């Protein structure tokens, strides 16, 4: 039990579990108006526990000049929330408990209680956040998938914000190895709604976490607040694509303030979606073109090795095919391709070759693992 | 005159012009088999001058165990070369002379004689090299143009290798402000031949330089040799696009060895043309997304300011048009665009809007200076 003598520091080092009564008190205190994680900590430290702090609140509010009596979260409301959470399979993990994410515990505004759905075990693994633009490019999505898959295979859990674009790609590519979706609202208000299926898939090996009441509808300002948890959970944060003044840059800034490693994926200066990441690189973020770049920085911090599975070698020379394009034609068609999808028709026209030649070159590239086919006969280079 | 007492160092500090006889001796010595710039320097230092070195060559070759007598370039051949050069308006500038490029003079294998066509004055200006892939992407070409134009406007001369792709783009965009083409072969063997018109245009305000005999056909190994001159002339080298194991990376390495600043333009990890530049950034090259990034590093080195002309502000909100696309449609269409050209048809299909809406959004982007139109109704974002 937390008391004045052992205090908050003891909560971190002793890793004891709260009693049910204590958990209820913690929930009442953090759900009380005007009490955020920092105030919660101050109160518990000052009064030696949440119960004592709750008792002191009316007098504190009066002395602070509150116009109305302090609206303390009632025992009934807290019980209702705990009960509702349990019926949905949600655990309230308290700061200092063994299941609480160890890195998150280190930030000064760590949530006292984290509502967790899914596998608790993923929270205590080494975690890397992968975040980026909602309106991501195809190349950005592809890269996020590759990075998440490779970091997952190397033994990292991934963390992201369940948003469209990069976030969703990162979650999807690491479903099997464990990924954490950090919600800006409550567990009953998943945003965006279209990702509720993705969220369910995440829960199989990963988790969804929230510090907000179950029914909390996320407002604009809840997203930056949530972002501190994304970086706080993680040893490092990788920003895949980010325009100027985007939410991902807030996450990067918070990561820096929390002493977490900041990684950024470079992009063309002509691509607005790379402005933010290129800016981060100028400010000293570590440049990432593959998972190994992230692992190389994090291994010494974590004090252990992470092995990337062997990569499929990309054959340099595709095998012979029925129609053999000349080297010139092959080079010309390949040079027209890039990460952005283009149509077969355009390739035929721009390369001034025949559709058969273009198809053969594309087939060669595909066999070589260098081509992605999209809908509508669009292709792009990997 | 160079003699044993004043030696090579004096040539650098005194900045005297060679007599015609001396220039002939220098040409004979550097055109003699097995004598490169370093040996030239050693010989002149040792014997106090080129004439004395020429006299000593037969004995040196004999003592060195040469199987045949030393094949010294004859006085007649050197006179013929000098005369042929003059009829083409080519000057032989000797190391130590006032017109010799001051930074090139500092490298230990600086050519004793530089054959210069065009404006000598450009050689002594602050120079920045811009190099990159031959099979450049449209975005790479665009960026090289913008960078060369802006650096030119700020007062820098540009340097490149007259190759297809990035090199040509850099030259073209700085024709008016001064650009230097460094040739791998002689002045009579411009490579690639299709750039002879570009070369003529370069000469108006810039120059073409070569250390090779006029009729020298460039071989593969002459290109890396030439690259040391590109970096050697320059205070800094910007690599715009480069695949792994490309010539541009050789230039970057040489620049580093010569103590020149190395800059690289970032690109998507999925773009093979960015592999080399991203690799350079990992090794510590300065990340460049605009001319100001280059100028910020070079100003302290050069000890003077370089002002970028005011940039046209890009309007955030295009004005109203006859057909007003909704914000959603506008965002959806814009997000489909990137540096790689896509067709109007694809945009209509992928955005699920009407051709009229797509055309209006493109028009807005164009007015905002954010769109480039290519042949065949292809467009890309700037």
């Amino acid at each position: 039990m937390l008391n004045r003598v052992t205090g908050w520091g003891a909560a971190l080092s002793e890793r004891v579990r709260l009693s049910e009564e204590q958990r209820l008190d913690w929930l009442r205190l953090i759900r009380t108006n005007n009490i955020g994680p920092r105030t919660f900590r101050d109160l518990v430290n000052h009064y030696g526990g949440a119960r004592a702090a709750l008792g002191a609140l009316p007098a504190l509010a009066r002395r602070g000049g509150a116009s109305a009596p302090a609206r303390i979260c009632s025992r009934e409301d807290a019980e209702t929330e705990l009960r509702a959470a349990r019926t949905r399979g949600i655990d309230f993990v308290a700061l200092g408990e063994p299941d609480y994410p160890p890195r998150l515990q280190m930030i000064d505004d760590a949530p006292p209680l984290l509502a967790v759905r899914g596998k608790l075990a993923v929270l205590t693994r080494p975690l890397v956040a992968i975040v980026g633009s909602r309106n991501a490019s195809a190349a950005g999505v592809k890269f996020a998938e590759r990075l998440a898959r490779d970091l997952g295979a190397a033994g990292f859990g991934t963390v992201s914000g369940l948003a469209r674009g990069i976030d969703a790609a990162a979650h999807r590519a690491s479903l099997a190895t464990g990924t954490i979706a950090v919600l800006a609202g409550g567990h009953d208000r998943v945003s965006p709604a279209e990702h509720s299926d993705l969220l369910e898939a995440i829960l199989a090996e990963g988790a969804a976490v929230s510090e907000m009441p179950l029914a909390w509808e996320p407002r604009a300002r809840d997203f930056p607040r949530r972002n501190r948890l994304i970086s706080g959970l993680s040893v490092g944060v990788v920003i895949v694509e980010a325009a100027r003044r985007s939410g991902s840059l807030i996450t990067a800034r918070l990561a820096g303030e929390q002493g977490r490693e900041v990684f950024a994926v470079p992009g063309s200066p002509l691509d607005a979606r790379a402005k933010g990441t290129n800016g981060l690189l100028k400010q000293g973020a570590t440049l990432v073109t593959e998972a190994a770049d992230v692992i190389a920085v994090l291994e010494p911090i974590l004090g252990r090795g992470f092995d990337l599975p062997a990569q499929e070698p990309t054959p340099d020379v595709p095998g012979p095919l029925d129609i053999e394009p000349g080297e010139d034609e092959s080079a010309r068609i390949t040079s027209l391709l890039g990460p952005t999808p283009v149509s077969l028709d355009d390739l035929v026209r721009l390369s001034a070759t025949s559709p058969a030649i273009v198809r053969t070159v594309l087939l060669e590239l595909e066999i070589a693992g260098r081509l992605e086919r999209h809908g509508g006969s669009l292709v792009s280079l990997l």
Side-chain angles (χ1 to χ4, degrees), chain A:
Chain A
M1 178 176 158
L2 289 173
N3 57 38
R4 186 172 281 165
V5 180
T6 54
W8 194 258
L12 300 188
S13 57
E14 287 176 9
R15 296 203 158 265
V16 289
R17 287 190 193 277
L18 298 190
S19 69
E20 275 313 279
E21 275 299 304
Q22 285 173 325
R23 202 175 310 271
L24 207 57
D25 290 338
W26 277 43
L27 188 58
R28 287 184 65 199
L29 187 57
I30 191 64
R31 290 286 183 257
T32 293
N33 274 0
N34 304 327
I35 294 183
R38 282 198 190 81
T39 311
F40 182 99
R41 169 188 289 213
D42 289 345
L43 287 169
V44 169
N45 268 337
H46 189 77
Y47 293 98
R51 165 91 35 116
L54 285 166
L57 280 183
L60 282 174
R62 224 172 21 246
R63 285 204 302 276
S67 53
R71 283 191 298 170
I72 297 172
C73 169
S74 71
R75 185 180 168 93
E76 291 66 38
D77 285 354
E79 279 174 341
T80 305
E81 184 176 354
L82 274 179
R83 211 177 307 117
R86 283 205 179 124
T87 61
R88 287 163 181 74
I90 295 167
D91 289 307
F92 277 99
V93 181
L95 202 149
E97 292 191 317
D99 294 328
Y100 198 90
R103 300 223 162 228
L104 186 60
Q105 200 155 271
M106 297 175 191
I107 72 171
D108 67 352
D109 51 356
L113 286 168
L114 208 54
V116 183
R117 257 185 97 196
K119 297 277 185 291
L120 286 174
V122 74
L123 297 177
T124 47
R125 284 174 49 194
L127 300 170
V128 175
I130 302 174
V131 298
S133 314
R134 283 181 174 73
N135 71 334
S137 73
V141 166
K142 189 91 211 154
F143 184 83
E145 286 172 354
R146 183 186 295 184
L147 185 69
R149 187 195 61 210
D150 290 351
L151 287 173
F156 287 92
T158 63
V159 181
S160 198
L162 201 68
R164 297 184 187 94
I166 301 297
D167 286 20
H171 287 308
R172 277 205 184 90
S174 51
L175 288 175
T177 49
T179 182
I180 299 172
V182 185
L183 309 179
H187 280 285
D188 285 353
R189 293 287 184 278
V190 171
S191 166
E194 75 213 53
H195 282 172
S196 52
D197 284 354
L198 174 58
L199 186 70
E200 292 305 317
I202 286 171
L203 301 179
E205 296 299 328
V209 305
S210 164
E211 63 175 325
M212 309 306 273
L214 289 184
W216 188 268
E217 190 73 52
R219 303 151 306 173
R221 69 170 183 216
D222 293 325
F223 289 90
R225 175 186 170 142
R226 180 274 313 265
N227 290 353
R228 87 188 195 286
L229 303 184
I230 292 179
S231 52
L233 283 161
S234 311
V235 203
V237 175
V238 185
I239 324 292
V240 177
E241 275 187 339
R244 284 201 198 289
R245 290 187 294 277
S246 61
S248 306
L249 296 186
I250 296 176
T251 310
R253 178 175 57 73
L254 293 169
E257 288 171 9
Q258 293 167 352
R260 306 303 151 92
E261 295 300 315
V262 180
F263 301 88
V265 179
S268 163
L270 300 186
D271 190 342
R273 283 171 279 224
K275 283 226 186 312
T277 51
N278 286 340
L280 289 172
L281 292 170
K282 287 186 189 177
Q283 292 161 42
T286 301
L287 190 143
V288 175
T289 61
E290 54 184 353
D293 298 325
V294 176
I295 294 173
V297 170
L298 298 190
E299 273 184 339
I301 294 170
L302 294 165
R304 54 167 274 214
F306 292 85
D307 287 327
L308 273 172
Q311 301 286 311
E312 289 273 321
T314 306
D316 280 342
V317 185
L321 290 157
D322 289 335
I323 300 164
E324 280 214 23
E327 266 189 38
D328 261 19
E329 289 167 328
S330 210
R332 201 154 67 239
I333 293 162
T334 308
S335 80
L336 288 168
L337 288 163
T340 309
V342 288
S343 71
L344 272 173
D345 290 352
D346 287 341
L347 288 173
V348 172
R349 190 169 41 76
L350 293 170
S351 66
T353 55
S354 71
I357 292 281
V358 168
R359 268 187 230 106
T360 305
V361 172
L362 294 181
L363 191 55
E364 290 173 347
L365 288 169
E366 194 171 25
I367 290 165
R370 295 173 59 198
L371 195 83
E372 186 182 14
R373 292 187 190 268
H374 309 264
S377 85
L378 291 175
V379 293
S380 67
L381 216 52
L382 291 181

